[in-house]
Amino acid sequence: DDYFDLVLDSVINGELDSIATNNVYALGIKNDDPPPQMSFVGDKVLTVNEDAGTIKLTVKLNAKSILASTAQIVVQSSVGVLKYDIPKTISVGAGETSISFSLVIHDDFIDAPDETLKLILRTANSATLTIGADSVKTIVVKDNDPPVKLAANMQTEFTVNEPSSGKTTLKIPIVLAGVSGWDIPWALKVLPGSGDNHAVLDEDYRIVKINGKINAGQLTDTAIVEVLSDIWDEGDEQFTLTFDTQAGKTNYLDFSGKNSFVITIPRNGG
């Protein structure tokens, strides 16, 4: 609101002369204008690559104000591993009608689903600022990373002595080279073989677990087999487990360089 004083004076011989007491009238002009509205500028949905870096975003007011117009930015997201920076508040200065600010996307080198950031404007003081219809900006971040590989140092050859009785449990770690933003299913199968040095399923060894899932953000899971005791005097035996790309079908794991495990059972424990 605006206020001013109106003073009544007389002029005598070219000079002002107060004509009476109570000659000052205070007048006020009541402001009936609503506070400005803030909205995002541009498309409601913006799609960018993960390596986009700094993204410039702009908000505008529908009218000027003699006061600064401050809004909060609330982020709702489906983000799993994506890292980003964005201011928590923005302020359009007095007499201004727009301001730009930055959203910074950090390229993470992790294969993951496309991720979504929903930026929502909220007023910090409804008496000085309201929020317009275009108060939500959706940012879709397209992943640009290749599928994760199996770890180069993942063990693929094992030697297990035949127990004198019962069974010996072998746990085979399935290890990724790095985390993934996807769940990674996996499965193994026994390669067929023959001959005196080929271990026989359910006679020389037993399958306990040869499929599973490495959850997003995790690095390992475990396959399990059991080496069995028998009464036969035999030479060294082997069997091979290889990744089954059909039973464990996935587009998010690169099997190159690591595709099988060889288990050797020495002659009756040596």
Side-chain angles (χ1 to χ4, degrees), residues 143-187:
D143 187 77
N144 62 345
D145 299 297
V148 67
K149 292 185 176 183
L150 292 165
N153 61 351
M154 182 179 73
Q155 185 175 352
T156 57
E157 296 184 358
F158 298 85
T159 298
V160 183
N161 290 330
E162 180 184 316
S164 58
S165 63
K167 63 188 179 184
T168 296
T169 299
L170 171 63
K171 294 184 177 180
I172 303 173
I174 312 297
V175 186
L176 301 180
V179 297
S180 175
W182 299 94
D183 290 340
I184 305 293
W186 60 271

Short mmCIF file of all heavy atoms in Angstrom, two decimals, residues 143-187:
data_model
loop_
_atom_site.label_atom_id
_atom_site.label_comp_id
_atom_site.label_asym_id
_atom_site.label_seq_id
_atom_site.Cartn_x
_atom_site.Cartn_y
_atom_site.Cartn_z
N ASP A 143 20.27 -42.81 -19.82
CA ASP A 143 21.53 -43.45 -19.46
C ASP A 143 22.37 -43.68 -20.72
O ASP A 143 21.84 -43.97 -21.80
CB ASP A 143 21.27 -44.78 -18.76
CG ASP A 143 22.54 -45.41 -18.22
OD1 ASP A 143 23.01 -44.94 -17.17
OD2 ASP A 143 23.06 -46.34 -18.85
N ASN A 144 23.68 -43.58 -20.57
CA ASN A 144 24.58 -43.70 -21.72
C ASN A 144 25.71 -44.70 -21.47
O ASN A 144 26.73 -44.66 -22.15
CB ASN A 144 25.19 -42.33 -22.06
CG ASN A 144 26.03 -41.77 -20.91
OD1 ASN A 144 25.95 -42.24 -19.79
ND2 ASN A 144 26.83 -40.76 -21.20
N ASP A 145 25.53 -45.60 -20.49
CA ASP A 145 26.62 -46.49 -20.09
C ASP A 145 26.42 -47.91 -20.63
O ASP A 145 25.28 -48.38 -20.73
CB ASP A 145 26.74 -46.53 -18.57
CG ASP A 145 27.03 -45.15 -18.00
OD1 ASP A 145 28.10 -44.62 -18.32
OD2 ASP A 145 26.19 -44.61 -17.26
N PRO A 146 27.52 -48.61 -20.95
CA PRO A 146 27.42 -49.99 -21.45
C PRO A 146 27.10 -50.96 -20.32
O PRO A 146 27.26 -50.62 -19.14
CB PRO A 146 28.82 -50.25 -22.02
CG PRO A 146 29.72 -49.39 -21.19
CD PRO A 146 28.92 -48.14 -20.89
N PRO A 147 26.67 -52.18 -20.66
CA PRO A 147 26.39 -53.18 -19.63
C PRO A 147 27.63 -53.48 -18.79
O PRO A 147 28.76 -53.42 -19.28
CB PRO A 147 25.95 -54.42 -20.43
CG PRO A 147 25.51 -53.88 -21.75
CD PRO A 147 26.35 -52.68 -22.01
N VAL A 148 27.42 -53.81 -17.54
CA VAL A 148 28.53 -54.16 -16.65
C VAL A 148 29.12 -55.50 -17.09
O VAL A 148 28.43 -56.35 -17.67
CB VAL A 148 28.03 -54.23 -15.19
CG1 VAL A 148 27.05 -55.38 -14.99
CG2 VAL A 148 29.19 -54.33 -14.23
N LYS A 149 30.41 -55.69 -16.81
CA LYS A 149 31.08 -56.95 -17.12
C LYS A 149 31.29 -57.77 -15.86
O LYS A 149 31.17 -57.24 -14.74
CB LYS A 149 32.43 -56.69 -17.79
CG LYS A 149 32.34 -56.08 -19.18
CD LYS A 149 33.73 -55.98 -19.81
CE LYS A 149 33.64 -55.46 -21.24
NZ LYS A 149 34.97 -55.42 -21.90
N LEU A 150 31.61 -59.03 -16.04
CA LEU A 150 32.05 -59.84 -14.92
C LEU A 150 33.46 -59.40 -14.53
O LEU A 150 34.26 -59.00 -15.38
CB LEU A 150 32.03 -61.32 -15.29
CG LEU A 150 30.63 -61.90 -15.51
CD1 LEU A 150 30.71 -63.23 -16.23
CD2 LEU A 150 29.90 -62.06 -14.19
N ALA A 151 33.77 -59.48 -13.25
CA ALA A 151 35.05 -59.00 -12.74
C ALA A 151 36.21 -59.77 -13.37
O ALA A 151 36.17 -61.00 -13.49
CB ALA A 151 35.10 -59.13 -11.22
N ALA A 152 37.25 -59.03 -13.76
CA ALA A 152 38.41 -59.67 -14.39
C ALA A 152 39.10 -60.64 -13.44
O ALA A 152 39.71 -61.63 -13.88
CB ALA A 152 39.39 -58.59 -14.85
N ASN A 153 39.02 -60.38 -12.14
CA ASN A 153 39.68 -61.25 -11.16
C ASN A 153 38.75 -62.30 -10.56
O ASN A 153 39.08 -62.93 -9.56
CB ASN A 153 40.31 -60.41 -10.05
CG ASN A 153 39.28 -59.60 -9.27
OD1 ASN A 153 38.12 -59.53 -9.66
ND2 ASN A 153 39.71 -58.99 -8.17
N MET A 154 37.57 -62.48 -11.16
CA MET A 154 36.65 -63.50 -10.66
C MET A 154 37.26 -64.89 -10.88
O MET A 154 37.70 -65.22 -11.98
CB MET A 154 35.31 -63.40 -11.39
CG MET A 154 34.26 -64.39 -10.91
SD MET A 154 32.67 -64.22 -11.77
CE MET A 154 33.10 -64.91 -13.39
N GLN A 155 37.30 -65.70 -9.85
CA GLN A 155 37.90 -67.03 -9.95
C GLN A 155 37.02 -67.93 -10.81
O GLN A 155 35.81 -67.99 -10.65
CB GLN A 155 38.05 -67.64 -8.55
CG GLN A 155 38.78 -68.98 -8.55
CD GLN A 155 39.02 -69.51 -7.14
OE1 GLN A 155 38.77 -68.80 -6.16
NE2 GLN A 155 39.49 -70.75 -7.04
N THR A 156 37.67 -68.67 -11.73
CA THR A 156 36.92 -69.54 -12.63
C THR A 156 37.39 -70.99 -12.58
O THR A 156 36.81 -71.85 -13.25
CB THR A 156 37.02 -69.03 -14.09
OG1 THR A 156 38.40 -68.95 -14.46
CG2 THR A 156 36.36 -67.67 -14.23
N GLU A 157 38.45 -71.28 -11.83
CA GLU A 157 38.94 -72.65 -11.71
C GLU A 157 39.01 -73.03 -10.23
O GLU A 157 39.55 -72.26 -9.41
CB GLU A 157 40.32 -72.80 -12.36
CG GLU A 157 40.30 -72.56 -13.87
CD GLU A 157 41.66 -72.81 -14.51
OE1 GLU A 157 42.62 -73.12 -13.76
OE2 GLU A 157 41.76 -72.68 -15.75
N PHE A 158 38.46 -74.20 -9.91
CA PHE A 158 38.40 -74.65 -8.53
C PHE A 158 38.85 -76.11 -8.44
O PHE A 158 38.57 -76.90 -9.36
CB PHE A 158 36.96 -74.54 -7.99
CG PHE A 158 36.43 -73.13 -7.98
CD1 PHE A 158 35.84 -72.59 -9.13
CD2 PHE A 158 36.52 -72.34 -6.84
CE1 PHE A 158 35.35 -71.30 -9.13
CE2 PHE A 158 36.03 -71.05 -6.84
CZ PHE A 158 35.45 -70.52 -7.98
N THR A 159 39.51 -76.44 -7.35
CA THR A 159 39.87 -77.83 -7.07
C THR A 159 39.27 -78.22 -5.72
O THR A 159 39.48 -77.52 -4.72
CB THR A 159 41.40 -77.99 -7.01
OG1 THR A 159 41.96 -77.65 -8.29
CG2 THR A 159 41.78 -79.43 -6.67
N VAL A 160 38.51 -79.31 -5.73
CA VAL A 160 37.84 -79.76 -4.51
C VAL A 160 38.14 -81.24 -4.31
O VAL A 160 37.81 -82.08 -5.18
CB VAL A 160 36.31 -79.56 -4.60
CG1 VAL A 160 35.64 -79.97 -3.28
CG2 VAL A 160 35.97 -78.12 -4.95
N ASN A 161 38.77 -81.57 -3.20
CA ASN A 161 39.05 -82.97 -2.91
C ASN A 161 37.76 -83.73 -2.62
O ASN A 161 36.85 -83.21 -1.96
CB ASN A 161 39.99 -83.09 -1.71
CG ASN A 161 41.39 -82.61 -2.03
OD1 ASN A 161 41.85 -82.70 -3.17
ND2 ASN A 161 42.08 -82.08 -1.03
N GLU A 162 37.73 -84.95 -3.12
CA GLU A 162 36.58 -85.81 -2.82
C GLU A 162 36.60 -86.16 -1.34
O GLU A 162 37.62 -86.60 -0.81
CB GLU A 162 36.65 -87.09 -3.66
CG GLU A 162 35.50 -88.04 -3.41
CD GLU A 162 35.66 -89.33 -4.18
OE1 GLU A 162 36.03 -89.26 -5.38
OE2 GLU A 162 35.45 -90.40 -3.59
N PRO A 163 35.50 -85.96 -0.63
CA PRO A 163 35.49 -86.28 0.80
C PRO A 163 35.52 -87.79 1.02
O PRO A 163 35.12 -88.58 0.16
CB PRO A 163 34.17 -85.67 1.28
CG PRO A 163 33.28 -85.71 0.07
CD PRO A 163 34.18 -85.46 -1.11
N SER A 164 36.03 -88.19 2.19
CA SER A 164 36.05 -89.62 2.52
C SER A 164 34.65 -90.15 2.75
O SER A 164 34.40 -91.35 2.58
CB SER A 164 36.92 -89.85 3.76
OG SER A 164 36.44 -89.09 4.86
N SER A 165 33.75 -89.27 3.11
CA SER A 165 32.35 -89.65 3.26
C SER A 165 31.49 -88.40 3.13
O SER A 165 31.97 -87.28 3.32
CB SER A 165 32.10 -90.32 4.62
OG SER A 165 32.36 -89.42 5.68
N GLY A 166 30.25 -88.60 2.78
CA GLY A 166 29.33 -87.47 2.69
C GLY A 166 29.59 -86.56 1.51
O GLY A 166 29.74 -87.02 0.38
N LYS A 167 29.74 -85.29 1.78
CA LYS A 167 29.84 -84.30 0.71
C LYS A 167 30.71 -83.14 1.15
O LYS A 167 30.91 -82.88 2.35
CB LYS A 167 28.45 -83.78 0.35
CG LYS A 167 27.78 -83.04 1.51
CD LYS A 167 26.33 -82.70 1.23
CE LYS A 167 25.72 -81.98 2.45
NZ LYS A 167 24.28 -81.71 2.26
N THR A 168 31.24 -82.42 0.18
CA THR A 168 31.96 -81.17 0.40
C THR A 168 31.27 -80.08 -0.43
O THR A 168 31.04 -80.27 -1.63
CB THR A 168 33.44 -81.27 -0.02
OG1 THR A 168 34.10 -82.22 0.81
CG2 THR A 168 34.13 -79.91 0.12
N THR A 169 30.92 -78.98 0.22
CA THR A 169 30.20 -77.90 -0.46
C THR A 169 31.19 -76.90 -1.07
O THR A 169 32.12 -76.45 -0.40
CB THR A 169 29.27 -77.17 0.53
OG1 THR A 169 28.31 -78.11 1.04
CG2 THR A 169 28.53 -76.02 -0.17
N LEU A 170 30.97 -76.58 -2.33
CA LEU A 170 31.77 -75.57 -3.02
C LEU A 170 30.87 -74.38 -3.35
O LEU A 170 29.84 -74.53 -4.01
CB LEU A 170 32.35 -76.14 -4.32
CG LEU A 170 33.03 -75.12 -5.25
CD1 LEU A 170 34.25 -74.48 -4.58
CD2 LEU A 170 33.42 -75.78 -6.58
N LYS A 171 31.28 -73.20 -2.89
CA LYS A 171 30.57 -71.97 -3.20
C LYS A 171 31.37 -71.19 -4.25
O LYS A 171 32.55 -70.91 -4.04
CB LYS A 171 30.37 -71.13 -1.94
CG LYS A 171 29.46 -71.80 -0.91
CD LYS A 171 29.22 -70.89 0.29
CE LYS A 171 28.25 -71.55 1.26
NZ LYS A 171 27.98 -70.71 2.45
N ILE A 172 30.71 -70.89 -5.35
CA ILE A 172 31.36 -70.22 -6.48
C ILE A 172 30.84 -68.78 -6.56
O ILE A 172 29.67 -68.55 -6.90
CB ILE A 172 31.06 -70.95 -7.80
CG1 ILE A 172 31.51 -72.41 -7.70
CG2 ILE A 172 31.72 -70.24 -8.97
CD1 ILE A 172 31.11 -73.25 -8.89
N PRO A 173 31.67 -67.79 -6.26
CA PRO A 173 31.21 -66.39 -6.33
C PRO A 173 30.99 -65.94 -7.78
O PRO A 173 31.85 -66.15 -8.63
CB PRO A 173 32.35 -65.60 -5.68
CG PRO A 173 33.16 -66.62 -4.92
CD PRO A 173 33.03 -67.89 -5.71
N ILE A 174 29.85 -65.33 -8.03
CA ILE A 174 29.57 -64.65 -9.29
C ILE A 174 29.78 -63.17 -9.00
O ILE A 174 29.05 -62.57 -8.22
CB ILE A 174 28.13 -64.90 -9.77
CG1 ILE A 174 27.77 -66.39 -9.72
CG2 ILE A 174 27.92 -64.33 -11.16
CD1 ILE A 174 28.58 -67.26 -10.62
N VAL A 175 30.79 -62.56 -9.63
CA VAL A 175 31.23 -61.22 -9.23
C VAL A 175 31.19 -60.27 -10.43
O VAL A 175 31.74 -60.57 -11.49
CB VAL A 175 32.66 -61.26 -8.65
CG1 VAL A 175 33.04 -59.88 -8.11
CG2 VAL A 175 32.77 -62.31 -7.56
N LEU A 176 30.56 -59.11 -10.23
CA LEU A 176 30.53 -58.08 -11.26
C LEU A 176 31.75 -57.17 -11.13
O LEU A 176 32.31 -56.99 -10.05
CB LEU A 176 29.27 -57.22 -11.12
CG LEU A 176 27.92 -57.94 -11.22
CD1 LEU A 176 26.79 -56.94 -11.05
CD2 LEU A 176 27.79 -58.70 -12.53
N ALA A 177 32.14 -56.57 -12.26
CA ALA A 177 33.27 -55.63 -12.26
C ALA A 177 32.90 -54.32 -11.58
O ALA A 177 33.78 -53.57 -11.14
CB ALA A 177 33.74 -55.38 -13.68
N GLY A 178 31.63 -54.02 -11.49
CA GLY A 178 31.13 -52.80 -10.85
C GLY A 178 29.64 -52.91 -10.64
O GLY A 178 28.99 -53.81 -11.19
N VAL A 179 29.08 -52.01 -9.88
CA VAL A 179 27.65 -52.08 -9.63
C VAL A 179 26.87 -51.70 -10.88
O VAL A 179 27.36 -50.98 -11.75
CB VAL A 179 27.23 -51.18 -8.45
CG1 VAL A 179 27.89 -51.63 -7.16
CG2 VAL A 179 27.55 -49.73 -8.74
N SER A 180 25.65 -52.17 -10.94
CA SER A 180 24.73 -51.82 -12.01
C SER A 180 23.46 -51.26 -11.41
O SER A 180 23.10 -51.56 -10.26
CB SER A 180 24.40 -53.07 -12.85
OG SER A 180 23.40 -52.77 -13.83
N GLY A 181 22.79 -50.43 -12.16
CA GLY A 181 21.49 -49.93 -11.73
C GLY A 181 20.36 -50.89 -12.06
O GLY A 181 19.20 -50.63 -11.72
N TRP A 182 20.68 -51.99 -12.71
CA TRP A 182 19.70 -53.02 -13.06
C TRP A 182 19.87 -54.24 -12.15
O TRP A 182 20.99 -54.53 -11.71
CB TRP A 182 19.89 -53.49 -14.51
CG TRP A 182 19.73 -52.45 -15.56
CD1 TRP A 182 20.72 -51.70 -16.13
CD2 TRP A 182 18.52 -52.04 -16.18
NE1 TRP A 182 20.20 -50.85 -17.06
CE2 TRP A 182 18.84 -51.03 -17.13
CE3 TRP A 182 17.18 -52.42 -16.04
CZ2 TRP A 182 17.89 -50.41 -17.91
CZ3 TRP A 182 16.23 -51.80 -16.83
CH2 TRP A 182 16.59 -50.80 -17.76
N ASP A 183 18.79 -54.97 -11.91
CA ASP A 183 18.91 -56.32 -11.37
C ASP A 183 19.50 -57.21 -12.46
O ASP A 183 19.07 -57.15 -13.62
CB ASP A 183 17.54 -56.87 -10.95
CG ASP A 183 16.96 -56.16 -9.73
OD1 ASP A 183 17.74 -55.52 -8.99
OD2 ASP A 183 15.74 -56.24 -9.52
N ILE A 184 20.49 -58.03 -12.09
CA ILE A 184 21.18 -58.87 -13.07
C ILE A 184 20.84 -60.33 -12.80
O ILE A 184 21.37 -60.93 -11.86
CB ILE A 184 22.71 -58.67 -13.00
CG1 ILE A 184 23.10 -57.20 -13.17
CG2 ILE A 184 23.40 -59.55 -14.04
CD1 ILE A 184 22.82 -56.64 -14.53
N PRO A 185 19.95 -60.94 -13.61
CA PRO A 185 19.72 -62.38 -13.46
C PRO A 185 20.89 -63.16 -14.06
O PRO A 185 21.55 -62.69 -15.00
CB PRO A 185 18.44 -62.61 -14.26
CG PRO A 185 18.45 -61.54 -15.31
CD PRO A 185 19.13 -60.35 -14.67
N TRP A 186 21.16 -64.35 -13.51
CA TRP A 186 22.22 -65.18 -14.06
C TRP A 186 21.81 -66.65 -13.91
O TRP A 186 21.01 -67.01 -13.06
CB TRP A 186 23.56 -64.93 -13.35
CG TRP A 186 23.53 -65.22 -11.88
CD1 TRP A 186 23.20 -64.36 -10.87
CD2 TRP A 186 23.79 -66.49 -11.25
NE1 TRP A 186 23.25 -65.00 -9.65
CE2 TRP A 186 23.62 -66.30 -9.86
CE3 TRP A 186 24.16 -67.74 -11.72
CZ2 TRP A 186 23.79 -67.33 -8.93
CZ3 TRP A 186 24.35 -68.78 -10.80
CH2 TRP A 186 24.16 -68.56 -9.42
N ALA A 187 22.38 -67.48 -14.77
CA ALA A 187 22.13 -68.92 -14.68
C ALA A 187 23.33 -69.66 -15.27
O ALA A 187 23.98 -69.17 -16.19
CB ALA A 187 20.85 -69.30 -15.44
#
